[in-house]
């Protein structure tokens, strides 16, 4: 399932696929070899899948990798911790 396990054994490292769906304004996440792991993250905090902080971090990761990404609304957050 996991790509790796930490030395302490309390963290796993997954092989994730991440992409932006502009029509839905959602960022999708899938994990290789983890059956059923497909979820989305949105920017709207009132939504069931809304998590503005994670959405922004994933958006910046997509941008930095040269992949399609949403408009990043809070550029001041760029300097924040990962």
């Amino acid at each position: 399932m996991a790509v790796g396990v930490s030395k302490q054994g309390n963290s796993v490292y997954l092989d994730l696929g991440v992409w932006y769906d502009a029509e839905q304004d959602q960022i999708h996440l899938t994990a290789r070899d983890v059956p059923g792991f497909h979820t989305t993250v949105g920017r709207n905090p009132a939504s069931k899948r809304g998590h503005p902080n994670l959405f922004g971090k994933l958006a910046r990761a997509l941008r930095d990798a040269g992949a399609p990404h949403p408009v990043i609304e809070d550029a001041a957050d760029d300097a924040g911790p990962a």
Side-chain angles (χ1 to χ4, degrees), residues 20-35:
Y20 176 60
D21 181 331
E23 187 175 305
Q24 295 179 351
D25 194 31
Q26 297 279 314
I27 296 176
H28 291 251
L29 297 117
T30 59
R32 183 176 292 170
D33 299 327
V34 181

